[in-house]
Amino acid sequence: WDDDIDIAVMPECWDKMNRILTEELDRNKYSVINRKTHKRSACWQYLTEVSVNGTFRRFDYFREEVARKCGIVVDIFSLVKAPENKYIQKAWYWELGILDGVIGIKGYKPGTFQIPFLSKCFCRTIFKDTDISRICEMREKIQRKYNSKCGKYLIVPFGPNGRYPLGKTLYKAEWFQNVVMGKFTVYREGEAIESAMFPIPLNYEKILKKT
């Protein structure tokens, strides 16, 4: 019910996907927006967007120096491996949350969102003179630090102010192991104008109910 389409990509495919998008998309029609193409923006510390050139969507909540006005987009998020120990999970997510708060302080217009008190303290002491791109690089490194390990859980570390609660997006990795082809159709005024088949997780119902 929002203004875009969301896709999640397995951790091992993330870098390959970004490389292919950059090399093969028609740049006259589309723009690839992510940490490498827009380093100073707070918007893309954890995702890639493919934007349709010539369309417009305004972000009212970002400071002008970091906002990029893009239009119709597909949001592509990386699933990342999460630690199996629940206490380490919480500590890891807390670490991400602090950085998200600091990114919010540096990127959002004052008064747009409530920023956690601890993030304000961190920003005023440790990150006061740090460029926002450096903080986003730290965030990306931390969210990916368990990807090289075998894990039972996957998570999409995003949401309002950075993250949804662990209870909503901590998925079992086995739910994504097998796929089925699902048919998707675009309608205009009740008439089907385009259809295509796409691979989706076999356990999509479990994933949707969890979220």
Side-chain angles (χ1 to χ4, degrees), residues 30-164:
Y30 308 105
S31 295
V32 179
I33 306 166
N34 56 30
R35 292 289 323 125
K36 291 186 177 179
T37 60
H38 295 83
K39 288 187 176 181
R40 289 204 71 253
S41 177
C43 316
W44 297 287
Q45 69 262 34
Y46 42 66
L47 78 158
T48 289
E49 288 187 330
V50 177
S51 172
V52 180
N53 294 342
T55 59
F56 180 82
R57 181 167 53 121
R58 187 176 66 193
F59 293 103
D60 288 327
Y61 43 87
F62 284 113
R63 299 176 192 267
E64 285 299 319
E65 63 266 27
V66 298
R68 182 183 187 277
K69 297 172 175 63
C70 58
I72 298 170
V73 297
V74 173
D75 280 346
I76 309 173
F77 296 95
S78 174
L79 285 156
V80 299
K81 291 183 181 179
E84 295 183 15
N85 182 285
K86 65 178 181 180
Y87 299 106
I88 298 176
Q89 283 175 8
K90 290 179 180 178
W92 171 62
Y93 226 47
W94 182 85
E95 190 177 9
L96 289 175
I98 291 294
L99 286 178
D100 288 333
V102 174
I103 291 168
I105 291 169
K106 286 185 168 285
Y108 296 138
K109 291 179 180 177
T112 306
F113 293 109
Q114 286 187 334
I115 304 297
F117 175 76
L118 283 173
S119 297
K120 291 180 181 178
C121 294
F122 263 64
C123 191
R124 289 170 184 156
T125 54
I126 299 175
F127 297 110
K128 181 179 179 182
D129 300 317
T130 307
D131 186 82
I132 194 168
S133 62
R134 292 267 310 278
I135 304 170
C136 290
E137 286 171 9
M138 290 175 60
R139 209 275 189 191
E140 184 177 26
K141 185 178 180 180
I142 290 170
Q143 78 179 34
R144 297 175 61 166
K145 74 179 185 177
Y146 294 99
N147 279 357
S148 60
K149 302 175 182 179
C150 296
K152 297 179 181 178
Y153 299 104
L154 293 171
I155 194 167
V156 180
F158 80 99
N161 274 332
R163 302 150 302 117
Y164 283 114

